[in-house]
Amino acid sequence: MFDISTSAYVLPQVAVMMTLHRGDRLDQFETALGSVEAQAGVAAVHVYLCCDGPLPVAHEDWLAANRDRLHCVIRNPRCLGLAQSLNRLIDVLGEEPFVFRMDGDDVSHAGRFAAQIAYMNDHPTLGLVGCQVVDIDDDGTPLARRKYPVAQEDVVRSLTRVIPVLHPTFCMRRSILRDRKARYPAAYLTEDLAFLVRLSELGVQIGNCPQTLFSWRTGQGFYRRRTSVRRGLTEAKWYARAVYKQHGLVSAGYVYPMLRLGLRMMPASLMRLVYQSSLRSRISRTQGPTEA
């Protein structure tokens, strides 16, 4: 585990991109923001927040009371969705050399930022890095450990089959975002996969550090939200792009986007069994969730 006290790195200011929607729970958002503010070993944490559409009175009251905790707040006049919200945040970022993602219902472990920056300093060719993850329920109870590939060849190969980096664990070099093509595509409920595929097409190297640094909330409705034909078709398109990027037009790899499309059409209860089984791990050739 990375030890801040013995680090030789001079860790800089960092940017953190977050969004707030009318349906977000304020208690969970407060926990997520608090875990960001508690990060040690960096010069400063600048939180960039996009309010996606009109907010309820309680959310507006919270914002008014906590405005000094936020480096920059922008607002969408109507709900534009995650991709456009994140792209708007990218366009207003300052000069922080590292940019982190953070969802409003998850938890960053102590030392997450310092450990991911240290890993990127040790691997200077990487433009985006994630980490290992613990699944938690709505109450914060650990459910399972979710392991993502670390070796570069495993990350690249996995991108044609599963998402090899969990989206709220992203740590990105500010330099890669200066390319106007490095933006989140409009992809229905598949923005993060599409973003990774696009970065890969731009030649950005993607990786994961081996430490478990993040708790991902998979509470009520998690699997139900993943059953959608429209989402499945969009996802299949982007996985197919990843296959094309790596193997060209003729490849057996196109079977995996079709298998995932079938998964999206399953009932939520059956999808849960598949997600929690070893089948998903064998398909991705990575180690999947294990009991926490």
Side-chain angles (χ1 to χ4, degrees), residues 187-254:
Y188 179 71
L189 298 182
T190 314
E191 299 91 347
D192 297 295
L193 168 64
F195 182 63
L196 290 175
V197 173
R198 176 163 289 179
L199 290 185
S200 177
E201 292 172 345
L202 293 172
V204 176
Q205 292 193 26
I206 300 164
N208 286 296
C209 61
Q211 298 102 313
T212 300
L213 304 168
F214 197 81
S215 292
W216 190 37
R217 203 176 299 275
T218 58
Q220 188 176 9
F222 174 80
Y223 294 99
R224 185 175 62 252
R225 292 192 299 271
R226 279 154 174 76
T227 56
S228 164
V229 174
R230 180 183 174 189
R231 177 177 183 168
L233 289 170
T234 305
E235 185 182 69
K237 165 193 166 183
W238 283 96
Y239 277 120
R241 279 183 64 156
V243 174
Y244 177 77
K245 168 71 167 55
Q246 294 185 33
H247 305 295
L249 274 176
V250 181
S251 171
Y254 290 104

Side-chain angles (χ1 to χ4, degrees), residues 106 135-138 143 146 216-220 222-223:
D106 300 322
D135 291 356
I136 59 175
D137 63 15
D138 279 331
L143 299 174
R146 188 175 295 272
W216 190 37
R217 203 176 299 275
T218 58
Q220 188 176 9
F222 174 80
Y223 294 99

